[in-house]
Amino acid sequence: MSTDALAAPVPLGEMPDQADPETKRIAGRVGMMLDRMWATMSDLDVSYDEYNAVKDWLIAVGEAGEWPLFLDVFFERVVERLAASKSSASQSCIQGPYYLPDSPELPWNGVLPMRRKEPGQPLTVRGRVLSSDGGPIAGALIDHWQADAAGLYSGFDPSIPEGNLRGKFRTNEEGAFEIRTIRPAPYMIPHEGPTGRLLRAAGWHPWRPAHLHYFVDAHGYRQLTTQLFFDGDPWLDTDVAGAVKSDLVLVPQPSPTGVSEVRYDFTLEPVAPRGPG
Ligand code: MBD
Ligand code: FE
């Protein structure tokens, strides 16, 4: 008998037939991950003290509402790179935990909603949305969100007005956009909570380089999720979320009026390759 050894829960296919096929498929993959984790725990000779410490910590992550933060900081990078390797779009990047869907739609060359005296250096982001099979895409929707010059996100930090530095921009007939905003500061993972405690205990720094977040959508194209970063940022090489890709690091150009400017073209992948004619 094999009951003394580690084994997957119930072999797939012997489970009662109550889940839909996709849920069953994913559950089977969770089973494979559990198998690997059991093997890793055995390799590491995990003790009861270690098990209980990690169990208490994981419970605290849930109680603090930090599951979205913890998962996106430590795990989204893997799924994101796998998806990127199968796409002809321009470089993608993780979504992270701070997107909110209800920001206003603005003109192709609008000003991001901000406070009357929003701190930070003025920044213009300009470029086009292109198709990976050639040509600009008019009417594409660019959903932009970012932290402020203190590294805080509206909707998550109670001191920031709702909707601050979040907006949607629709490209013009040339597929162009021009977003007026301010330069965000590098972002520090909240340090009072369990995720911050883990970082401190492990001696890992809590920083993400300053970044701008994007969803880019157009009819007939797969949604692109990405981020833009700034050359010279001290945290580019050691992003705690491990998300930086060199294509996404932009060199800000000073303008005569003191505004910092960056240029970037987003390229989208058609949903289905188009046949000839
Ligand atoms: C962020 O601002 C972020 O973008 C990610 C991915 C994780 C934590 C905070
Ligand atoms: Fe972010």
Side-chain angles (χ1 to χ4, degrees):
M1 271 305 292
S2 64
T3 46
D4 287 346
L6 291 169
V10 179
L12 197 61
E14 291 178 27
M15 287 192 298
D17 198 14
Q18 51 193 11
D20 64 88
E22 180 61 2
T23 305
K24 278 177 98 161
R25 188 187 66 78
I26 294 171
R29 310 250 301 160
V30 170
M32 291 186 220
M33 291 180 68
L34 286 175
D35 262 334
R36 305 269 187 108
M37 286 173 73
W38 295 336
T40 302
M41 289 170 72
S42 301
D43 290 346
L44 294 175
D45 193 18
V46 173
S47 71
Y48 252 104
D49 282 350
E50 291 170 328
Y51 172 73
N52 285 134
V54 172
K55 178 179 170 183
D56 289 347
W57 181 81
L58 288 169
I59 291 168
V61 170
E63 285 174 352
E66 288 189 358
W67 275 113
L69 176 71
F70 174 69
L71 290 169
D72 293 348
V73 166
F74 289 105
F75 293 93
E76 190 180 357
R77 64 183 81 181
V78 181
V79 184
E80 193 286 316
R81 279 178 172 79
L82 292 168
S85 71
K86 300 173 181 83
S87 173
S88 65
S90 55
Q91 202 56 263
S92 52
C93 194
I94 64 176
Q95 175 182 332
Y98 298 135
Y99 177 68
L100 294 173
D102 295 324
S103 62
E105 189 178 324
L106 304 157
W108 72 275
N109 59 351
V111 179
L112 203 62
M114 60 177 79
R115 290 165 284 188
R116 196 124 37 109
K117 290 187 174 155
E118 185 68 36
Q121 186 189 14
L123 171 73
T124 301
V125 185
R126 55 174 115 246
R128 288 173 306 162
V129 177
L130 308 172
S131 168
S132 64
D133 56 13
I137 305 175
L141 197 65
I142 300 173
D143 196 337
H144 171 126
W145 74 102
Q146 66 170 94
D148 70 5
L152 303 175
Y153 281 91
S154 66
F156 294 89
D157 190 289
S159 71
I160 310 298
E162 219 174 285
N164 206 237
L165 301 176
R166 297 173 183 273
K168 301 183 180 86
F169 301 82
R170 203 175 283 283
T171 57
N172 69 9
E173 302 73 51
E174 281 85 55
F177 65 88
E178 208 174 287
I179 299 170
R180 267 161 258 277
T181 180
I182 55 98
R183 255 184 92 154
Y187 176 84
M188 185 174 64
I189 303 296
H191 48 279
E192 333 75 46
T195 306
R197 269 196 287 130
L198 169 69
L199 294 170
R200 234 175 313 120
W204 302 330
H205 80 243
W207 291 97
R208 294 213 64 221
H211 56 279
L212 308 170
H213 288 274
Y214 295 97
F215 283 141
V216 186
D217 277 288
H219 189 69
Y221 293 87
R222 236 179 280 286
Q223 181 180 65
L224 173 67
T225 304
T226 195
Q227 298 183 21
L228 298 176
F229 303 90
F230 303 94
D231 189 47
D233 191 294
W235 308 111
L236 287 173
D237 294 332
T238 60
D239 178 9
V240 67
V244 178
K245 299 172 180 183
S246 54
D247 285 5
L248 300 174
V249 179
L250 307 182
V251 180
Q253 306 290 339
S255 85
T257 55
V259 178
S260 184
E261 301 189 351
V262 290
R263 272 208 66 91
Y264 189 78
D265 291 340
F266 299 102
T267 302
L268 301 185
E269 176 180 59
V271 168
R274 298 197 185 121

